[in-house]
Structure formats: C-alpha cells, structure tokens
C-alpha cells in the first residue's frame, strides 16, 4: 500500500490506501497495548472517534496527518531495508 501511495500515478484510491496503512499500524500498536488500554475509561469511544477522524472526507483527516508526519518519514528512512527483506523472503519462498 505504501508503494502505491508513493507511486507517480495518483488516483482517488490514495486516500483509502493511506487510511488502510494508518489503520494497519494502529491495529498492530493496539494489539500489543490493548491489554492495558481497555482499562482506561472511554477508551472505545476515543478509538471510535479516532477512526472516524481518520476516515473523514476532508484534506486534514487523521490518515493524512498521521501518514505524512509519522509513517512516511519512518518508511522513507527504512524502505531499502524493507525491500531487501521482502526480496529475500520472495527468493526463499
């Protein structure tokens, strides 16, 4: 999905690909922290509001903000390593 977002051909699917990348990162983080987070009052209401903000049809929605400020810089820093690991996995398969 990140490769599709960063490709030169931009279409309307970029918004949803960005959302799914952010949702995937959020889901992985939540998997490891859910044991502690569900004890916080209004956690599920906050989670719902966060996901609605990420899907909002506005240019400053959560997916765009989080992707461009956190995920994209991290990916650009490590993309060569990720590509190498994925190539090695493909060769072994």
């Amino acid at each position: 999905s990140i490769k599709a977002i960063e490709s030169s051909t931009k279409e309307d699917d970029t918004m949803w690909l960005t959302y799914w990348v952010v949702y995937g990162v959020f889901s992985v983080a939540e998997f490891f922290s859910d044991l502690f987070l569900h004890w916080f009052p209004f956690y599920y209401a906050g989670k719902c509001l966060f996901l609605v903000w990420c899907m909002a049809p506005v240019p400053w929605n959560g997916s765009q903000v989080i992707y461009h400020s956190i995920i994209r810089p991290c990916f650009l820093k490590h993309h060569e390593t990720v590509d190498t690991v994925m190539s090695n996995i493909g060769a072994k398969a």
Side-chain angles (χ1 to χ4, degrees):
S1 293
I2 293 175
K3 290 285 190 180
I5 294 169
E6 295 299 323
S7 68
S8 60
T9 58
K10 300 291 182 187
E11 295 179 17
D12 60 346
D13 60 344
T14 302
M15 182 180 97
W16 289 111
L17 285 172
T18 305
Y19 169 76
W20 286 114
V21 167
V22 171
Y23 182 77
V25 170
F26 173 75
S27 294
V28 169
E30 184 184 35
F31 174 78
F32 291 107
S33 62
D34 194 41
L35 181 63
F36 304 108
L37 291 177
H38 78 275
W39 289 98
F40 286 103
F42 304 109
Y43 166 69
Y44 292 105
K47 176 182 172 181
C48 183
L49 289 174
F50 170 75
L51 293 175
V52 168
W53 176 55
C54 285
M55 290 185 285
V58 293
W60 46 268
N61 69 17
S63 296
Q64 297 294 326
V65 171
I66 292 169
Y67 177 78
H68 288 290
S69 64
I70 299 171
I71 297 172
R72 186 171 190 265
C74 182
F75 174 75
L76 292 177
K77 183 177 178 181
H78 301 289
H79 76 87
E80 291 175 357
T81 305
V82 172
D83 288 342
T84 303
V85 169
M86 294 306 290
S87 295
N88 291 341
I89 290 173
K92 289 179 183 179

